[in-house]
Amino acid sequence: MARPAGPGPPRGGVPVAKEVARHLNAELDVVVARKIGAPGHPEYGVGAVTADSEPIYDPRVLRALDLTEEQLGRTCDEEREEARRRTALYRGDKPLTLKDRDVILVDDGLATGVTAKAALHWIAQHEPRTTTLAVPVAAKESLATFTTPVIALLLPRRFGAVSRWYDSFAQTTDEEVLSALS
């Protein structure tokens, strides 16, 4: 049996994934999924996209904010382009072999869950044997929207935002991501 692969979304997810991979003696890699933020509130994810897949949107959030996918088209294109840039930077030509492997997607937390869903969708296209999502903290209402098994250490009653559950929540730089992946 191959060692499990432990990809994490870059920036927040890679530092957490690095620790999980180290403890599991697993391969660390990266899946670049970019949040499509609400107009005027870019940190509130209404959708997400990877470098080479269709965007995933949260229909409940779109309805609540009276938004359409078409209205978010330009933002989606910009985020897809950034996902392409980061994928090329972080992965280069390195092949990612997930077929018939146990994959644990690790992120720094789960708010709306849309970014994790885009990453999981991308992973599913590579035919892993199993996929699990692991996060330190999650909003309870988001967990019910996943079909993939989710491991969450904290399920606070009043979630707020992922950053609320960290002492320091600075953006991880490209250099720090590259260092963690090396």
Side-chain angles (χ1 to χ4, degrees):
M1 179 165 112
R3 290 184 306 153
R11 302 297 175 119
V14 167
V16 180
K18 179 180 177 181
E19 292 304 311
V20 172
R22 185 173 62 81
H23 283 286
L24 295 177
N25 193 31
E27 179 183 346
L28 176 64
D29 213 312
V30 65
V31 175
V32 180
R34 295 285 300 168
K35 183 184 308 174
I36 300 168
H41 301 282
E43 285 304 309
Y44 187 65
V46 299
V49 68
T50 63
D52 57 359
S53 65
E54 291 301 310
I56 304 276
Y57 289 98
D58 185 326
R60 296 171 303 135
V61 175
L62 290 180
R63 278 191 305 275
L65 297 177
D66 196 28
L67 289 171
T68 66
E69 293 179 22
E70 291 76 26
Q71 290 171 305
L72 299 166
R74 182 168 161 232
T75 302
C76 176
D77 291 344
E78 291 169 356
E79 295 302 341
R80 180 181 284 116
E81 191 56 40
E82 181 62 13
R84 287 180 181 138
R85 182 194 73 80
R86 289 187 185 184
T87 298
L89 176 65
Y90 301 153
R91 303 204 79 261
D93 294 333
K94 178 183 168 192
L96 180 62
T97 307
L98 299 179
K99 185 175 176 67
D100 297 325
R101 295 184 72 188
D102 300 312
V103 176
I104 303 169
L105 175 67
V106 180
D107 205 350
D108 56 4
L110 194 62
T112 64
V114 73
T115 306
K117 285 179 183 171
L120 288 166
H121 176 73
W122 186 89
I123 289 168
Q125 294 173 335
H126 292 83
E127 303 175 11
R129 179 179 25 228
T130 64
T131 307
T132 303
L133 172 62
V135 294
V137 61
K140 287 181 197 178
E141 56 274 5
S142 291
L143 292 182
T145 67
F146 282 84
T147 56
T148 299
V150 180
I151 299 168
L153 300 179
L154 294 174
L155 295 171
R157 243 185 311 154
R158 293 191 176 130
F159 179 79
V162 172
S163 62
R164 179 176 175 203
W165 303 97
Y166 285 83
D167 290 334
S168 174
F169 199 71
Q171 284 286 338
T172 307
T173 66
D174 284 340
E175 292 75 22
E176 289 169 320
V177 171
L178 289 167
S179 176
L181 292 170
S182 64

